[in-house]
Amino acid sequence: MSSSPSPERPPRYRLNVAGLRITLLLVILGWTFAYNMLIKGQHPVRAFFKILDTISDDFVGGSAVALAVGCGIVIVFSVTKLYTQVIAHVYSFRILEDLVYDELFQKRYRRFFSRLMRIDEQPTPDTVFPTRISSLVLALCLLYTLSWVYVLLFSEALYFVCWSAGVRLPLRDPQSLLLVPMLAMAIPFSARVMAYIRYPYAQDYADFMPGALFVLLLVGAMGKLYGSSDHVFFLVQVFENREFLQSFLRNGAFLAFIPLFFEAAYWFTDMQRWETAQDELDSKPEQLNSEESV
């Protein structure tokens, strides 16, 4: 009986890292040399000796703005994406508690951030509320802080949407600016309500928020770079007027507390449900023992 042929293995090769490095350097230096001659119109000798100046001044220095805007977009998108994962997942705060104690406190930082970025893929815990008093208080503080952040960001975003659509929202008195932060708070809070009722598309709804803030950041950066005076910022008007600022802070403090209040009420209800379930589990062995004794 003939033995079956062994499966073919891919050919082995040695990675020529040194050659790859040299190739990259030659490509960059050659492109810079051609850039100096063709774009800057320099003599070949001068173009050769100005290669390092072009790299440091034109490429590195000239890309500082693009790099700063890009880093800002990455930070804003990452933070808002994490926030949308938290508000769209009903077990998010309990999962955060487990991640902190299981990974962060064990100094497994890379694993902690890796799991944090995939919070919606973590195993479902047995409760929606944190199990430690300190974790519960910190979770509520975190929720209040994030709510304040979204009151600020989405107030500006809503004002920008209206402005870009040609709808002017004049701020004449403190009462006229209350509607904007109220609607701004309603957007992320509605995603949390979807999580409460286990709506299957809550994450899809929440995912538009990072894109909205990305557009706001990009438009604001473009207006700043070009020195445009057409774009009117909502928060700038608020902070320049003392009366507006006081009214905004008072109402913002109340609006940011609304998600915290409903979160606490939801946790309180789930605590009662969990206690009832535990009592039923504890009563079953007693019933079995009484039946056996009879």
Side-chain angles (χ1 to χ4, degrees):
M1 183 175 179
S2 61
S3 60
S4 59
S6 59
E8 296 183 359
R9 296 181 178 179
R12 300 181 64 183
Y13 63 91
R14 297 186 63 181
L15 195 61
N16 187 6
V17 178
L20 295 175
R21 288 199 190 101
I22 294 174
T23 302
L24 286 175
L25 289 175
L26 290 177
V27 169
I28 293 174
L29 295 177
W31 194 94
T32 308
F33 178 72
Y35 175 83
N36 287 342
M37 288 196 306
L38 300 177
I39 305 301
K40 291 188 173 182
Q42 296 177 352
H43 188 272
V45 177
R46 180 177 176 82
F48 176 78
F49 286 103
K50 287 292 184 178
I51 287 178
L52 295 180
D53 292 339
T54 300
I55 293 176
S56 61
D57 297 340
D58 295 4
F59 298 161
V60 178
S63 62
V65 175
L67 183 62
V69 174
C71 291
I73 291 173
V74 170
I75 294 173
V76 170
F77 182 84
S78 300
V79 173
T80 52
K81 179 62 177 178
L82 177 61
Y83 176 72
T84 58
Q85 289 180 318
V86 170
I87 63 175
H89 198 312
V90 72
Y91 293 94
S92 57
F93 289 102
R94 171 62 195 279
I95 293 175
L96 286 174
E97 178 190 30
D98 293 340
L99 291 181
V100 169
Y101 279 90
D102 296 344
E103 305 295 348
L104 186 62
F105 285 176
Q106 302 301 322
K107 298 183 179 180
R108 294 192 286 262
Y109 303 116
R110 180 177 297 181
R111 181 174 171 82
F112 168 75
F113 286 107
S114 176
R115 294 182 63 185
L116 183 64
M117 292 295 104
R118 299 173 177 84
I119 193 171
D120 55 335
E121 301 176 4
Q122 302 307 312
T124 301
D126 56 346
T127 64
V128 300
F129 52 87
T131 57
R132 300 170 178 85
I133 295 178
S134 59
S135 300
L136 187 143
V137 174
L138 289 175
L140 293 177
C141 292
L142 175 63
L143 180 61
Y144 187 75
T145 303
L146 292 176
S147 298
W148 248 117
V149 170
Y150 262 74
V151 167
L152 294 170
L153 293 179
F154 266 101
S155 294
E156 191 66 67
L158 287 176
Y159 197 84
F160 164 73
V161 169
C162 294
W163 170 83
S164 61
V167 179
R168 298 294 181 261
L169 302 177
L171 303 180
R172 303 185 184 91
D173 52 72
Q175 295 297 325
S176 63
L177 60 83
L178 299 183
L179 189 59
V180 174
M182 187 180 300
L183 293 176
M185 188 69 259
I187 295 174
F189 180 63
S190 58
R192 191 59 181 169
V193 172
M194 292 180 186
Y196 293 155
I197 63 176
R198 307 298 204 277
Y199 186 65
Y201 303 109
Q203 186 63 57
D204 296 334
Y205 168 77
D207 281 340
F208 91 94
M209 299 181 196
L213 295 180
F214 161 76
V215 173
L216 177 64
L217 178 63
L218 190 61
V219 171
M222 293 294 291
K224 189 70 174 178
L225 290 174
Y226 281 89
S228 175
S229 59
D230 295 333
H231 190 186
V232 180
F233 291 94
F234 173 76
L235 294 178
V236 172
Q237 298 180 75
V238 170
F239 281 87
E240 287 179 348
N241 189 306
R242 183 180 180 86
E243 189 178 5
F244 286 178
L245 178 60
Q246 291 177 350
S247 177
F248 181 80
L249 293 177
R250 284 196 302 267
N251 289 278
F254 165 74
L255 292 173
F257 187 78
I258 292 177
L260 188 149
F261 174 80
F262 279 91
E263 192 74 22
Y266 184 77
W267 288 353
F268 189 87
T269 303
D270 194 71
M271 288 175 187
Q272 290 184 317
R273 180 201 59 79
W274 184 83
E275 286 181 336
T276 302
Q278 292 298 314
D279 292 339
E280 292 177 355
L281 291 176
D282 294 339
S283 63
K284 285 183 179 180
E286 296 178 358
Q287 293 177 357
L288 292 176
N289 292 332
S290 61
E291 291 176 358
E292 290 177 357
S293 61
V294 172

